[in-house]
Amino acid sequence: MVLDLPHYSITAFSISALATYVLVPKLNSVFDLGECILEAVPLDHVFISHAHGDHARCMLRHESLRRLFGMKPATYYIPEQTLDGFNELARAWKTLEQVPPRNFEYPNFQPMKAGDVVWLHRQLAAKSFRANHTLPSLGYTLYDVRKKLKPEFQGREGRELAALRREGVVFENEVWLPLITYIGDSTIETLYREQHVGESETLFMEITFLMDDEREIARQRGHTHLDDLLQFLHDCPDVLQNEHIVLKHFSMRYDRRFIVQTLKSKLPSDFLERVHILV
Ligand SMILES: [Zn+2]
Ligand SMILES: [Zn+2]
């Protein structure tokens, strides 16, 4: 599915247990790599939410394709608890391929914990936060970071500001504008705790289960049920201010028609206006 949002185009796929990936070429980033389509290969920043195969399985494929194409290594941001496992996996794969030890390098994994900030470039930062699932899991927000003149310095000339800078006067504020928040697999607890996710222009969140008799299975497997979202919208009506909300990771047992009809019949219309359904 291609989502044409005002500032960027997003290529994404997400079906529970099958695969999830969200490509944002303009921000040089991809979230999760349950599959690695060729368009993902040039993207330098890969944010992995958790170690379930449908979200992380193709990280090594991404890494080896870049090697094959002579590209510099990408950075793979992963929950810190998964570093040893992913390193072992990378080594086992190279052993199977009989790569001589002198030619082996570990992928460029960057272990992350909740609250860590990394800079993608001077004006683009990513910050992680904890997501509730059955495994260690992180969500990520990408921020456009700009310097803005403090009101009392607006209208001053460049030369004057340069002189002030030499004197050590701080005349700018840093403004962090949240562009995209990506939550991988998660229960609704993440939204109750991490309410900042509602400030992003675009929010990716999961709803895996829709049917009345699936509440228990949603709870056991660490996923969100449609009723959980409805309850959240009732409890915290002002939190999700996002311009775009992408609902993803639906169970394989539903078809597109059923998903669309069910969401349209149950979600409040003012919320539905901002929703994109990833099926
Ligand atoms: Zn999943
Ligand atoms: Zn999962």
Side-chain angles (χ1 to χ4, degrees):
M1 178 178 181
V2 175
L3 273 174
D4 278 313
L5 303 179
H7 304 304
Y8 30 74
S9 169
I10 289 171
T11 301
F13 177 91
S14 180
I15 294 179
S16 173
L18 209 55
T20 290
Y21 56 82
V22 173
L23 277 53
V24 194
K26 197 170 170 202
L27 303 180
N28 197 10
S29 298
V30 51
F31 299 96
D32 282 342
L33 273 178
E35 278 292 343
C36 179
I37 58 172
L38 281 178
E39 291 92 321
V41 177
L43 304 179
D44 292 332
H45 300 279
V46 178
F47 296 90
I48 298 293
S49 61
H50 67 295
H52 276 145
D54 58 327
H55 297 258
R57 188 179 287 125
C58 288
M59 234 191 322
L60 296 182
R61 178 173 148 82
H62 186 266
E63 195 256 352
S64 63
L65 281 171
R66 285 179 71 105
R67 206 179 282 270
L68 186 71
F69 297 153
M71 302 165 88
K72 68 178 174 62
T75 305
Y76 302 92
Y77 306 92
I78 55 174
E80 59 178 353
Q81 302 91 330
T82 65
L83 178 64
D84 291 348
F86 282 132
N87 272 332
E88 274 175 43
L89 193 63
R91 175 162 283 289
W93 197 255
K94 295 296 169 187
T95 304
L96 286 167
E97 289 182 333
Q98 299 190 353
V99 174
R102 66 177 180 282
N103 291 349
F104 173 72
E105 273 175 55
Y106 285 105
N108 187 17
F109 293 128
Q110 176 146 353
M112 302 280 285
K113 56 183 185 309
D116 281 354
V117 172
V118 291
W119 290 87
L120 280 54
H121 62 70
R122 206 165 50 84
Q123 285 183 357
L124 187 65
K127 189 171 182 181
S128 57
F129 56 91
R130 188 163 73 85
N132 295 57
H133 189 39
T134 52
L135 296 181
S137 186
L138 292 175
Y140 300 94
T141 299
L142 297 186
Y143 292 87
D144 178 48
V145 185
R146 296 285 165 100
K147 294 260 200 284
K148 224 179 142 189
L149 278 181
K150 292 181 180 176
E152 62 269 33
F153 293 101
Q154 275 167 14
R156 306 270 187 110
E157 282 186 22
R159 229 178 325 153
E160 201 181 338
L161 293 173
L164 286 169
R165 177 169 283 133
R166 282 195 295 275
E167 288 167 25
V169 177
V170 180
F171 50 83
E172 292 168 317
N173 283 327
E174 211 172 53
V175 180
W176 287 54
L177 182 73
L179 301 176
I180 294 185
T181 291
Y182 175 84
I183 304 174
D185 291 352
S186 175
T187 63
I188 200 73
E189 273 75 33
T190 306
L191 291 197
Y192 281 96
R193 186 185 59 247
E194 310 287 344
Q195 299 202 351
H196 56 89
V197 304
E199 295 162 13
S200 277
E201 228 168 62
T202 303
L203 169 66
F204 282 83
M205 62 169 287
E206 73 126 290
I207 302 188
T208 303
F209 294 106
L210 302 175
M211 292 171 39
D212 289 345
D213 59 357
E214 291 173 319
R215 288 192 196 96
E216 185 52 27
I217 195 171
R219 200 187 56 77
Q220 282 171 1
R221 297 188 184 173
H223 289 301
T224 301
H225 188 283
L226 174 58
D227 289 353
D228 301 329
L229 177 61
L230 294 172
Q231 186 66 43
F232 178 78
L233 294 174
H234 176 267
D235 295 342
C236 308
D238 301 324
V239 168
L240 298 184
Q241 296 293 327
N242 320 82
E243 283 173 45
H244 305 279
I245 297 166
V246 184
L247 302 178
K248 63 174 176 62
H249 201 267
F250 295 100
S251 166
M252 270 196 283
R253 39 185 114 169
Y254 320 134
D255 62 20
R256 184 189 168 84
R257 227 174 92 117
F258 174 77
I259 294 169
V260 172
Q261 274 178 356
T262 306
L263 293 178
K264 283 193 170 165
S265 67
K266 298 230 173 140
L267 287 169
S269 57
D270 59 325
F271 182 76
L272 209 50
E273 278 168 14
R274 297 177 284 140
V275 161
H276 304 261
I277 302 167
L278 189 50
V279 283

